[in-house]
């Protein structure tokens, strides 16, 4: 791991204290808003989902689109964070390729540094997945009467589970794709296509890491799917017959 030298001991402690205070402030504001009725504000995502729901006949997709239209911000916020992680992955993947090509892969400093960036990005994706699990589980608890009615009316449990997965995937596809594209373009614009040589422009052209970018996209979406599948386990309880007595 590259060694990091600091002049004083207090900046890291100050940074930890500030981040902790901001996290506590955000959590406190979220807790105060739990019991408040949600405001049905029109958003672009909600309007698009509502429009697409009119043209589909698949039960799972229809349920997912209606849920996104009713609560667009519930899954778009984790999706935007996944898009931010994809942006970091897009930039770091190209910079890793260009720097390692410049040193023929022998510079352990760059190799370890970009390894840390990849690890930190996956940690961020994992934290987004945890937030997605909480969001989807909370949404399942709020609509437990509707899901119980749907199951009692003949909608298969498998369709309800697929709806939860689609509810997580659909808002994340565009941010993740754009994050990878824009991140890769920005890294390419910063360094150019050639590895650094002794003379400007004397390095070899580095091929674009399409496979690595695609791997990041598939991996991030797979994490979102796993998070949705974990959240869908709440349907076992929220679709019981006794949930039919929950007030509408």
């Amino acid at each position: 791991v590259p060694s990091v030298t600091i002049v004083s001991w207090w900046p890291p402690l100050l940074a930890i204290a500030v981040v902790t205070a901001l996290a506590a402030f955000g959590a406190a504001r979220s807790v105060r808003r739990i019991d408040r009725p949600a405001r049905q504000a029109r958003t672009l995502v909600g309007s698009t989902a509502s429009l697409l729901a009119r043209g589909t006949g698949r039960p799972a997709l229809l349920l997912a689109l209606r849920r996104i239209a009713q609560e667009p911000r519930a899954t778009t916020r984790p999706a935007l964070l996944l898009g931010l992680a994809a942006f970091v992955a897009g930039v770091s993947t190209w910079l890793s390729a260009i720097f390692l090509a410049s040193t023929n892969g022998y510079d352990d400093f760059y190799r370890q540094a970009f390894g840390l960036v990849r690890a930190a990005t996956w940690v961020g994706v994992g934290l987004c997945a945890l937030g997605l699990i909480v969001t989807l589980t909370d949404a399942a608890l709020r609509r437990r009467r509707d899901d119980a009615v749907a199951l009692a009316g003949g909608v298969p449990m498998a369709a309800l589970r697929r709806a939860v997965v689609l509810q997580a995937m659909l808002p994340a596809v565009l941010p993740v794709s754009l994050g990878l594209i824009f991140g890769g373009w920005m890294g390419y614009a910063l360094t150019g296509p050639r590895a650094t040589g002794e003379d400007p422009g004397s390095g070899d052209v580095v091929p674009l890491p399409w496979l690595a970018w695609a791997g990041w996209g598939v991996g991030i979406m797979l994490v979102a799917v796993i998070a949705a599948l974990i959240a869908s386990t709440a349907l076992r309880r929220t679709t019981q017959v006794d949930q039919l007595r929950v007030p509408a």
Side-chain angles (χ1 to χ4, degrees), residues 33-59:
R33 291 198 300 264
I34 285 180
D35 296 329
R36 297 180 184 177
R39 291 179 296 179
Q40 299 295 330
R42 299 291 293 179
T43 63
L44 178 60
V45 174
S47 301
T48 304
S50 179
L51 182 62
L52 293 176
R54 301 174 185 174
T56 182
R58 298 182 179 181

Side-chain angles (χ1 to χ4, degrees), residues 109-124:
F109 176 84
Y110 289 121
R111 187 180 298 277
Q112 292 178 359
F114 285 110
L116 289 175
V117 172
R118 285 192 295 270
T121 305
W122 279 119
V123 169

Side-chain angles (χ1 to χ4, degrees), residues 72-95:
R73 296 180 181 178
T75 49
T76 51
R77 289 175 180 176
L80 291 176
L81 292 177
L82 290 175
L84 177 60
F87 171 78
V88 175
V91 175
S92 62
T93 297
W94 172 253
L95 294 181

Side-chain angles (χ1 to χ4, degrees), residues 50-193:
S50 179
L51 182 62
L52 293 176
R54 301 174 185 174
T56 182
R58 298 182 179 181
L61 182 58
L62 179 61
L63 287 173
L65 290 173
R66 284 184 175 179
R67 292 168 183 176
I68 294 173
Q70 292 171 358
E71 298 180 324
R73 296 180 181 178
T75 49
T76 51
R77 289 175 180 176
L80 291 176
L81 292 177
L82 290 175
L84 177 60
F87 171 78
V88 175
V91 175
S92 62
T93 297
W94 172 253
L95 294 181
S96 175
I98 200 78
F99 276 100
L100 291 179
S102 300
T103 60
N104 295 322
Y106 296 121
D107 196 320
D108 290 336
F109 176 84
Y110 289 121
R111 187 180 298 277
Q112 292 178 359
F114 285 110
L116 289 175
V117 172
R118 285 192 295 270
T121 305
W122 279 119
V123 169
V125 172
L127 293 176
C128 293
L130 292 177
L132 193 58
I133 292 173
V134 173
T135 299
L136 293 175
T137 303
D138 181 64
L141 292 174
R142 288 197 305 271
R143 63 169 184 270
R144 58 189 183 274
R145 184 179 185 276
D146 295 335
D147 287 343
V149 170
L151 186 64
V155 179
M157 177 64 76
L160 295 177
R161 292 184 183 276
R162 287 196 298 270
V164 175
V165 174
L166 290 173
Q167 186 182 0
M169 286 185 60
L170 293 178
V173 171
L174 186 60
V176 170
S177 301
L178 291 179
L180 286 171
I181 293 172
F182 186 65
W185 172 82
M186 178 169 287
Y188 185 89
L190 288 173
T191 63

